[in-house]
Amino acid sequence: MTTNPDFHYVPETHKVIDERLSNWAAYVQVKSPSWVSPIWKLGKSNGRQWHEPEFRPACDVLDGNRLEIAVRALPDVHMRSLRWFYVYRYGEQKFRREAGLTRDGLVQVLKDARQMLINRRV
């Protein structure tokens, strides 16, 4: 019987880089889709008058930029896997098909990508 790998398990040695990558994801997040009509782009919903505003933690822009440069320098499959896992978060099977990876292979690529960033002292 095979077990499914846990993509969200982060080894203790990778906790710091995982937190920085989460900050990086907030830094590179696409703010608005390009398909939004310009007339509605700046429109605001009146729903805010009935709901308490939700404050998100601020991201460290300088560290996010440092990590963006470092992630771009990684080999293609490692760069794409980090972007998939932290930023885009679309279907795992679709990404694995695009990257040509097995489930275990994807888990290993994610670990290797984090380790590469640690080794490069980003």
Side-chain angles (χ1 to χ4, degrees):
M1 181 175 177
T2 61
T3 60
N4 290 334
D6 184 5
F7 293 106
H8 299 284
Y9 170 74
V10 178
E12 199 61 40
T13 56
H14 291 180
K15 292 288 185 188
V16 173
I17 197 71
D18 180 60
E19 289 175 15
R20 290 183 64 206
L21 284 165
S22 295
N23 176 68
W24 164 74
Y27 170 73
V28 298
Q29 259 322 314
V30 177
K31 299 300 180 202
S32 66
S34 61
W35 50 263
V36 174
S37 174
I39 196 168
W40 299 110
K41 197 170 199 172
L42 299 175
K44 296 193 189 270
S45 166
N46 289 336
R48 68 184 182 284
Q49 64 191 351
W50 292 291
H51 300 289
E52 228 17 73
E54 295 177 25
F55 295 102
R56 287 191 249 161
C59 73
D60 182 353
V61 175
L62 293 176
D63 190 52
N65 190 42
R66 272 188 227 110
L67 271 172
E68 173 62 20
I69 292 167
V71 168
R72 282 185 193 171
L74 292 176
D76 187 57
V77 71
H78 295 90
M79 176 190 65
R80 289 185 4 209
S81 67
L82 287 177
R83 288 193 190 282
W84 165 75
F85 187 75
Y86 288 97
V87 180
Y88 299 121
R89 300 176 184 250
Y90 61 90
E92 170 229 332
Q93 288 181 338
K94 181 179 177 186
F95 178 75
R96 283 192 304 115
R97 263 193 318 272
E98 291 172 358
L101 296 168
T102 63
R103 291 182 73 116
D104 292 327
L106 180 54
V107 170
Q108 189 61 47
V109 166
L110 286 168
K111 286 180 190 174
D112 291 346
R114 285 191 212 100
Q115 190 61 47
M116 284 179 192
L117 291 174
I118 293 169
N119 292 347
R120 293 176 184 197
R121 296 184 177 151
V122 175

